[in-house]
Amino acid sequence: MTLKDVVSMEKITLDDAAAIAKKGTHCGMCKIDFLGTGLCPSGKKHGFIAYWPQGRMEIVKALASGRVKPTEKLIEIANSCSFCGICDRQCNFATQLRPEKVAKALKEYVDNLDKSDFQSVLEDDVLRELRGIVGEEWATNDPIIISSYIRTIIHPDSELNFYIVMPKNAEEISKVIKFANKHNMPFMPRSGGTLLTCATPTVLSKAFCLERGIIIDLFRLKKLEIHPESCTATVGAGITAFELQKAAYEHKLRAHLAEAGAHVCANIASTGITSTWQNRYGWAADNYVDVEIVDDEGDIKNHSDMDIKNPYTTERGFTDITLTPPGIITESIVKLHPVFDDEDVVLVPFDNLKDALSMVMKLAKRDVGLSLVILSRKYLTEFLCPTPQIAKDFEYILKNYMKLNYVVDVICNKDDKKIVEEMADYTIDKNLMKSLLLGSPRLASLKDSEFLKILSEEEDPLKAIFAGPMRKHLEKGLDASPEQIAQVFDEDLRDFFKKAYSKPEMSDIIWLHAFRILPSRLMRQRLFFAQAGMIWADDEDKILKLIDMLAEVCDKYKLEHSLGFISPMDDGKYAFFEYDYFYDHNDPDATKRVSQALIETTEKCLLMGDILMVLNYLFKGLYRKEHVLYPKPKAISKEEQELFRELIESILGEELKW
Amino acid sequence: MVKFLSEEWIDISKKYILEKLDPEQDLKNITTSLLNVVEHVPPNDTSMNFYLGFQDGKLTDFIVNTGDTFEEKEAIFIIRGNYGTFKGILKGEMSMAVALLKNRLKLKGSKMKALKLIKPLDGVIASLREITDEYEE
Ligand SMILES: Cc1cc2nc3c(=O)[nH]c(=O)nc-3n(C[C@H](O)[C@H](O)[C@H](O)COP(=O)(O)OP(=O)(O)OC[C@H]3O[C@@H](n4cnc5c(N)ncnc54)[C@H](O)[C@@H]3O)c2cc1C
């Protein structure tokens, strides 16, 4: 888009822009080049969140609410946007927002201010010293820049009493930490911000965010080297999942990763990388060969050092909650896995969870599949569909007409595919999945059609559609094509999306599982909170009871909710579950209910036993999974329940009745 | 009000804990000992420590020392953190439990057992808050 186009764009006020910005959820997709558009030029150049589309949105909110006053830096930030349109494409794919409108409003707002409206921010002693470590350009105490970090590492109500540094290597981080300790300043690293954005609106916010001090933004640690000879990669803390996968795939290798925008080192440190591939690729320390860590004293260590104390083990028990990692991972050497020539996708549709679970656990125990998971109807539709409305209609159809509530989703080689096919009466293959993805708008439009009504009257609609003659009609009726799906985007973006969806990878189900560009759709214009855990899997009825309990609690708190996925791990001995609550992150009542559901379900899971909850495995990704998962977690006693309640009250710092 | 870690601070704290905290109600009859090592004490970036001992909910020892070790008595728990962290806890900006879970305080001893002391220790901290609002900058 040229500057002329920008001028002719419809004018919007700062308040209107703030209304758009409020819908932003910091999914971080504007920081990775997943559509081949290139990256936001100003973000790439300046690094600080303030210069990225997501940061401008946060700044607009802060200005509109009077939380911050304009500073001289704001002029540079507003003018650094070239209105190139990249962010509108990226954001529209993931969330349907148009961040450029917000950037435009910000520029107009700044242009209309008087020179005297901008406060100048002085360099104090702390900033001077920090700049001495990381360089003039890479440390700031500017309130406008700081405000762009709200909701990803700064609690929305916090005073903006922070410094932000962007060191370029472990040595600089070490110096920053030593400086912080000497001056009694707390510090915390920030990578992609995606975990932090999910925690911030909830009652966990104060415990997860930094209250004041130094934010260490790891964006500049961009080292990335693939070592095909050892099937490993050296990955700096600034490298995202998407960037690593792209480099690995060039060598026909695959990395084990979470969603595209998460940083790999942060992911190892925090959730230990849970995914649909974990039964084969492992969890926690299985994922890496070595890490470089800067510890809380600012000392740089490697796991391969001979003289460090055992870094792979942790205390156990339900009180062992850790809210920070045992140091900042500045670099990791991660394992890569082969990509096979005969990889294929096979999905088995189910109307009920019991049968899906039985199949997935059988496959897991026999180590079938590279990626192996039960996906809920909700996940399937949120991921595949380009807009929330299409996802909603698509889900309605799956539920009410097709009775497709779960799929066992397997990526595997040819031999494994045969095993799956032998176990199932009918399956969905790669081509049909592609048609469902590209044809999702058409399918959604059939919501009240005769075709679907006839289908729903079948005794076994799933069989009729996936194994009977109706399959052909469906495929034909979907008229799946890049042209069709592009039509659902704003008019000015349709050509772009037609081209984007014409690229084979954009509808290649294996590629999408590996590059994980779709999960951010779970947070389009509203947030989700993932209640998650790992349950000992020998008793499938217990897993079903767990899922029923999670649903009941969400109903009690009137939340939109759904199972996300169940994915086996440790050769099917454990099952990882993610159960999602969807809510408006701007609604305090909704966030309170999410918090209540989160605590109540955690407590109930602890009482059930055999379950390791997210609060207990978080920040244990550096440890050996065997030390975290074993011995099996026992159900807590009444006395321990009291202790759990005291602990939660103390963490939350407030009374939360559940 | 007295300065954190000063001689008067110990005297007044001792008196306050003995007089105002009920061994059963507030201190849950705990028997434990705790060595708190305070690092990076301004202005000279030194270390200090204070040792707290309780017997059946009654304060038996309250000793402040310089350095980061205390040879006289062996504590069941050793908690280590920087001056800013202790200041934040005493000022009520962060609870001791959160400081532990955020690794701001490093614990030697069982975390499970230490967390069982949260309630009684919260009472001690609240009383120390009453008498301290002067800190090194
Ligand atoms: C849509 C969505 C889908 C997700 N799916 C998955 C999934 O499938 N599997 C999964 O495992 N997780 C998943 N997550 C969670 C998320 O991917 C991980 O927690 C990931 O670690 C977040 O990375 P980040 O770079 O955004 O970290 P941030 O949010 O920036 O940081 C997370 C935490 O780690 C700390 N931290 C950051 N960098 C480092 C570092 N280098 N060293 C030590 N500590 C650090 C931060 O201080 C913070 O406490 C998902 C999240 C979202 C929003």
Side-chain angles (χ1 to χ4, degrees):
Chain A
M1 191 184 278
T2 64
L3 206 59
K4 217 171 102 220
D5 295 326
V6 173
V7 175
S8 64
M9 253 167 65
E10 167 203 0
K11 282 196 174 191
I12 61 166
T13 65
L14 196 72
D15 285 339
D16 291 340
I20 300 175
K22 271 188 163 177
K23 296 180 183 166
T25 52
H26 290 288
C27 68
M29 293 296 277
C30 55
K31 291 178 79 187
I32 53 170
D33 185 15
F34 65 102
L35 290 174
T37 51
L39 283 175
C40 165
S42 78
K44 202 172 148 187
K45 181 171 172 206
H46 298 279
F48 293 107
I49 302 297
Y51 294 86
W52 293 94
Q54 65 175 124
R56 288 202 183 86
M57 300 231 253
E58 207 55 55
I59 291 171
V60 163
K61 277 194 278 178
L63 284 168
S65 67
R67 185 88 204 280
V68 284
K69 299 257 172 303
T71 65
E72 283 160 0
K73 219 36 181 178
L74 181 62
I75 304 171
E76 182 187 287
I77 292 165
N79 289 331
S80 68
C81 176
S82 61
F83 303 100
C84 64
I86 290 175
C87 59
D88 269 0
R89 290 166 191 167
Q90 294 177 314
C91 201
N92 223 257
F93 179 86
T95 72
Q96 279 70 67
L97 288 176
R98 303 289 300 242
E100 202 170 84
K101 281 188 187 167
V102 179
K104 168 104 194 322
L106 182 64
K107 184 164 164 43
E108 268 174 18
Y109 167 78
V110 167
D111 286 348
N112 287 326
L113 289 179
D114 197 75
K115 248 192 154 173
S116 61
D117 292 326
F118 298 95
Q119 43 169 330
S120 57
V121 182
L122 296 179
E123 181 184 68
D124 59 18
D125 290 346
V126 171
L127 184 59
R128 194 167 306 118
E129 292 216 38
L130 289 172
R131 284 182 166 160
I133 299 170
V134 297
E136 174 83 20
E137 204 185 330
W138 302 111
T140 183
N141 62 350
D142 189 282
I144 289 286
I145 297 188
I146 293 168
S147 73
S148 66
Y149 287 75
I150 293 175
R151 283 184 179 272
T152 57
I153 188 162
I154 300 177
H155 185 274
D157 302 334
S158 245
E159 273 181 48
L160 300 181
N161 199 358
F162 295 90
Y163 298 87
I164 305 173
V165 292
M166 295 190 101
K168 68 170 182 300
N169 54 33
E171 287 70 31
E172 287 186 1
I173 292 175
S174 158
K175 286 183 189 159
V176 169
I177 292 178
K178 287 187 175 170
F179 171 83
N181 283 338
K182 191 168 166 204
H183 294 274
N184 283 299
M185 296 174 81
F187 58 88
M188 198 173 136
R190 185 211 190 267
S191 288
T194 61
L195 179 73
L196 291 164
T197 192
C198 289
T200 303
T202 73
V203 75
L204 296 175
S205 182
K206 286 219 165 94
F208 270 80
C209 290
L210 185 66
E211 70 281 20
R212 64 184 173 85
I214 304 174
I215 295 171
I216 304 177
D217 187 326
L218 298 170
F219 173 75
R220 288 176 70 214
L221 280 83
K222 284 287 187 195
K223 185 166 175 184
L224 177 55
E225 290 168 2
I226 306 292
H227 314 292
E229 70 293 351
S230 59
C231 289
T232 58
T234 304
V235 187
I239 295 294
T240 59
F242 186 85
E243 288 165 315
L244 170 59
Q245 200 66 292
K246 198 170 162 206
Y249 256 58
E250 281 165 17
H251 299 270
K252 277 192 83 174
L253 292 168
R254 178 184 292 125
H256 185 208
L257 302 164
E259 91 283 5
H263 289 208
V264 180
C265 292
N267 204 186
I268 292 174
S270 58
T271 48
I273 311 184
T274 58
S275 83
T276 61
W277 307 80
Q278 69 195 355
N279 200 49
R280 179 62 68 92
Y281 295 163
W283 180 67
D286 295 337
N287 287 306
Y288 67 88
V289 174
D290 197 6
V291 286
E292 178 189 67
I293 284 194
V294 186
D295 71 14
D296 287 351
E297 294 305 315
D299 295 329
I300 305 173
K301 291 178 177 152
N302 278 75
H303 269 201
S304 54
D305 291 347
M306 295 293 282
D307 55 355
I308 56 169
K309 77 174 209 299
N310 181 359
Y312 297 109
T313 193
T314 169
E315 223 180 293
R316 262 147 280 171
F318 74 97
T319 53
D320 194 32
I321 298 172
T322 312
L323 301 173
T324 55
I328 299 179
I329 306 180
T330 44
E331 205 168 285
S332 53
I333 300 180
V334 297
K335 292 184 191 168
L336 300 175
H337 309 272
V339 173
F340 298 104
D341 286 333
D342 65 342
E343 283 177 7
D344 208 340
V345 181
V346 54
L347 288 96
V348 188
F350 286 93
D351 62 353
N352 70 85
L353 185 57
K354 190 173 194 295
D355 293 344
L357 191 61
S358 163
M359 175 180 267
V360 91
M361 294 324 294
K362 272 189 202 119
L363 293 172
K365 284 177 182 134
R366 294 169 71 177
D367 206 15
V368 171
L370 298 163
S371 164
L372 176 65
V373 65
I374 299 173
L375 293 180
S376 69
R377 179 184 79 215
K378 175 83 173 166
Y379 251 44
L380 201 62
T381 50
E382 287 290 345
F383 285 9
L384 292 182
C385 298
T387 71
Q389 188 56 47
I390 292 173
K392 206 168 160 189
D393 293 343
F394 198 136
E395 197 192 344
Y396 181 89
I397 290 167
L398 293 187
K399 181 178 170 201
N400 295 299
Y401 297 116
M402 294 192 185
K403 316 276 183 268
L404 191 163
N405 295 319
Y406 306 93
V407 286
V408 169
D409 163 326
V410 195
I411 292 177
C412 54
N413 59 26
K414 285 223 155 60
D415 297 337
D416 280 358
K417 191 176 173 206
K418 271 191 216 129
I419 298 177
V420 179
E421 283 172 343
E422 270 165 25
M423 285 167 76
D425 292 339
Y426 37 83
T427 59
I428 308 175
D429 66 9
K430 201 173 171 180
N431 288 335
L432 184 52
M433 277 310 288
K434 180 175 175 163
S435 300
L436 287 171
L437 187 150
L438 293 175
S440 57
R442 179 63 53 88
L443 182 64
S445 74
L446 295 177
K447 197 171 152 191
D448 297 314
S449 67
E450 268 313 298
F451 172 76
L452 287 176
K453 274 186 196 139
I454 296 169
L455 174 68
S456 67
E457 281 153 16
E458 292 279 335
E459 201 185 315
D460 182 350
L462 282 176
K463 190 168 181 182
I465 196 107
F466 295 116
M470 289 182 103
R471 179 178 182 138
K472 261 201 208 123
H473 294 298
L474 175 73
E475 273 185 282
K476 208 164 160 224
L478 286 177
D479 183 25
S481 67
E483 285 82 358
Q484 196 222 118
I485 198 163
Q487 290 309 307
V488 306
F489 292 94
D490 291 349
E491 208 179 326
D492 59 323
L493 299 178
R494 284 181 194 158
D495 274 349
F496 169 78
F497 277 111
K498 189 178 134 192
K499 281 194 200 122
Y501 274 105
S502 300
K503 291 185 196 166
E505 69 263 26
M506 293 295 284
S507 51
D508 174 343
I509 301 302
I510 301 180
W511 190 92
L512 291 168
H513 274 70
F515 282 77
R516 309 204 53 193
I517 63 171
L518 300 178
S520 59
R521 285 182 168 169
L522 291 173
M523 55 207 290
R524 42 190 163 192
Q525 306 193 21
R526 48 102 157 99
L527 260 180
F528 76 111
F529 187 90
Q531 175 61 298
M534 298 160 185
I535 178 165
W536 183 252
D538 67 340
D539 182 354
E540 287 170 19
D541 283 343
K542 187 163 184 174
I543 302 179
L544 297 172
K545 269 190 208 136
L546 161 75
I547 303 301
D548 285 346
M549 179 277 284
L550 293 166
E552 266 165 35
V553 174
C554 289
D555 281 341
K556 175 176 152 190
Y557 292 110
K558 300 190 171 49
L559 291 166
E560 184 192 341
H561 61 92
S562 165
L563 173 69
F565 67 97
I566 298 179
S567 125
M569 56 193 294
D570 201 19
D571 297 322
K573 291 192 205 75
Y574 270 93
F576 178 89
F577 61 91
E578 178 174 315
Y579 200 95
D580 297 310
Y581 319 152
F582 300 92
Y583 69 106
D584 174 358
H585 52 292
N586 295 302
D587 174 358
D589 179 58
T591 58
K592 186 172 173 204
R593 285 182 281 117
V594 167
S595 303
Q596 286 169 311
L598 155 72
I599 303 298
E600 181 165 333
T601 49
T602 301
E603 186 181 62
K604 289 204 151 92
C605 286
L606 291 174
L607 287 164
M608 280 174 82
D610 289 343
I611 306 174
L612 185 79
M613 292 305 290
V614 61
L615 271 182
N616 291 116
Y617 74 74
L618 207 57
F619 293 112
K620 295 191 176 146
L622 277 170
Y623 305 132
R624 262 186 89 215
K625 72 173 180 304
E626 289 74 10
H627 287 316
V628 182
L629 296 176
Y630 298 88
K632 277 177 9 177
K634 281 198 206 114
I636 60 169
S637 63
K638 276 267 166 246
E639 192 199 335
E640 288 170 327
Q641 185 184 7
E642 278 307 303
L643 182 57
F644 170 78
R645 292 187 165 202
E646 277 174 24
L647 181 59
I648 290 298
E649 243 177 67
S650 185
I651 296 174
L652 306 182
E654 61 183 270
E655 226 170 274
L656 184 77
K657 292 269 172 280
W658 69 91
Chain B
M1 291 282 179
V2 292
K3 200 172 199 170
F4 175 44
L5 295 177
S6 66
E7 285 294 327
E8 306 96 284
W9 178 68
I10 304 185
D11 290 343
I12 302 180
S13 302
K14 258 191 205 165
K15 231 169 120 189
Y16 196 99
I17 293 172
L18 286 169
E19 280 171 14
K20 303 260 160 107
L21 296 185
D22 181 71
E24 196 184 331
Q25 291 262 307
D26 300 315
L27 291 164
K28 313 278 177 229
N29 292 328
I30 49 169
T31 297
T32 193
S33 56
L34 190 68
L35 178 66
N36 300 274
V37 182
V38 188
E39 298 172 323
H40 302 293
V41 181
N44 298 324
D45 199 11
T46 50
S47 291
M48 294 188 73
N49 62 68
F50 60 102
Y51 176 95
L52 284 165
F54 294 91
Q55 180 75 41
D56 300 326
K58 271 197 97 166
L59 181 71
T60 50
D61 294 288
F62 196 156
I63 308 163
V64 174
N65 258 282
T66 50
D68 57 5
T69 51
F70 179 56
E71 310 282 313
E72 247 171 74
K73 300 206 176 209
E74 200 172 326
I76 297 177
F77 299 103
I78 301 177
I79 290 178
R80 191 175 276 276
N82 68 30
Y83 187 86
T85 302
F86 279 98
K87 178 172 152 185
I89 292 169
L90 287 174
K91 285 179 116 180
E93 290 165 0
M94 182 180 278
S95 75
M96 195 152 180
V98 171
L100 273 172
L101 303 181
K102 279 190 145 181
N103 269 328
R104 299 278 177 83
L105 290 179
K106 309 254 179 337
L107 174 79
K108 211 169 156 197
S110 151
K111 201 183 224 173
M112 169 86 106
K113 283 186 188 150
L115 289 169
K116 284 189 180 156
L117 299 173
I118 294 174
K119 263 235 162 107
L121 284 180
D122 272 350
V124 176
I125 290 161
S127 44
L128 294 179
R129 190 172 304 141
E130 295 294 314
I131 56 169
T132 316
D133 75 346
E134 262 185 65
Y135 299 90
E136 300 284 357
E137 285 310 320

